[in-house]
Amino acid sequence: VKLRPFRLSPLLLASAVLVSAGAAAAQQAPKPEQLIKWRQSNYQVIAWNVGRIKASLDGSYDKEAVIKEANVISAIAGSGLGALYTAGTETGTGWHETRARPELFTDKRVAELSGDFVREAGELVRVANGGDPAAVKQQFGKLTKTCKACHDDYRAKE
Amino acid sequence: VKLRPFRLSPLLLASAVLVSAGAAAAQQAPKPEQLIKWRQSNYQVIAWNVGRIKASLDGSYDKEAVIKEANVISAIAGSGLGALYTAGTETGTGWHETRARPELFTDKRVAELSGDFVREAGELVRVANGGDPAAVKQQFGKLTKTCKACHDDYRAKE
């Protein structure tokens, strides 16, 4: 038995390319609702870890836990959250209606505030590794100030 | 004018202590709904970063981005997610109804699977820093296998 070479019709090939391009585009451009869910999820994870660090500072200090918690905040801060604020996500509902204000998408100052957040979160990891609760408390205050700076101007009041 | 020293009645003092103890307890024991939201948020953030690494492997590879994305997954994996699976959270609704199966809260094997996840995620960070896409692809496969191992047995089908 002689095997016939497999031949792809130009039409089939064109379809395959289109389908594959479509799949790639779908992968590269999730729906606004999904993007908003992801950004809300990122801030929820940050909030959980901020709360745990606060509990450690207010109660009995757990050095190893605080290092891990600070690591999460810093890793998320540096992970390019801006990719979740694409055009089309200015309004809409993820897990809940977005509280992002329109100015968040236009003000040049946002990049600066975002940089402050990344920097202070990284510094918290460094200080947490030192293990001095008083120093961690001080740096934790600097970090949460960067959260507040952005929320004050760019998050709608509840 | 002579200032009268401020005197705290025992009743007021007792109330203050109770309120403050209540506040501490509230901080230490968030509601099941909040715990479930946090755990769903953690997995959403993991999924977002897994998707971004996959896109990098399928498209044009971005070494620095993959390092950051792997860092988030690893930091979350090592952050003590078990704290979000306390008694009372076996069923319930966070952002959506929990898909955790009852066995997740009882099987001893879960700790082992969880350890596999933490280990492979940490290894992905190491490999990502090396910057070889083929090696990252291989390690990424090992990591997602640990996700699947847990989902197969401990997450309800949709």
Side-chain angles (χ1 to χ4, degrees), chain A residues 41 44-45 48 95, chain B residues 30-44 81 83-100 105:
Chain A
S41 295
Q44 284 282 329
V45 173
W48 178 46
W95 302 121
Chain B
K31 290 185 180 160
E33 182 193 320
Q34 179 62 71
L35 292 167
I36 298 174
K37 279 183 180 174
W38 280 332
R39 69 193 191 209
Q40 291 172 345
S41 294
N42 273 283
Y43 291 106
Q44 284 282 329
L81 295 179
L84 297 173
Y85 293 86
T86 48
T89 66
E90 296 88 345
T91 59
T93 297
W95 302 121
H96 52 80
E97 198 183 338
T98 185
R99 291 170 68 192
F105 295 84

Side-chain angles (χ1 to χ4, degrees), chain A residues 80-96:
Chain A
L81 295 179
L84 297 174
Y85 293 85
T86 49
T89 66
E90 296 88 345
T91 59
T93 298
W95 302 121
H96 53 80

Side-chain angles (χ1 to χ4, degrees), chain A residues 38 44 52 68 78-79 95, chain B residues 38 44 52 68 78-79 95:
Chain A
W38 279 332
Q44 284 282 329
R52 291 199 291 174
K68 289 172 179 180
S79 74
W95 302 121
Chain B
W38 280 332
Q44 284 282 329
R52 291 199 292 174
K68 289 172 179 180
S79 73
W95 302 121

Side-chain angles (χ1 to χ4, degrees), chain A residues 95-116:
Chain A
W95 302 121
H96 53 80
E97 198 183 338
T98 185
R99 291 169 68 192
R101 293 183 54 193
E103 296 79 9
L104 181 64
F105 295 83
T106 51
D107 277 13
K108 297 245 163 74
R109 194 173 144 249
V110 172
E112 188 194 320
L113 292 177
S114 169
D116 292 345

Side-chain angles (χ1 to χ4, degrees), chain A residues 56-78:
Chain A
S56 210
L57 288 168
D58 289 348
S60 79
Y61 191 77
D62 184 335
K63 180 186 169 184
E64 291 313 313
V66 170
I67 291 171
K68 289 172 179 180
E69 290 148 9
N71 267 336
V72 174
I73 299 170
S74 178
I76 289 179

Side-chain angles (χ1 to χ4, degrees), chain A residues 2-3 6 22 38 110 132 137 139-140:
Chain A
K2 235 183 161 184
L3 286 170
F6 179 68
W38 279 332
V110 172
D132 172 16
K137 188 171 189 169
Q139 182 56 33
F140 180 71

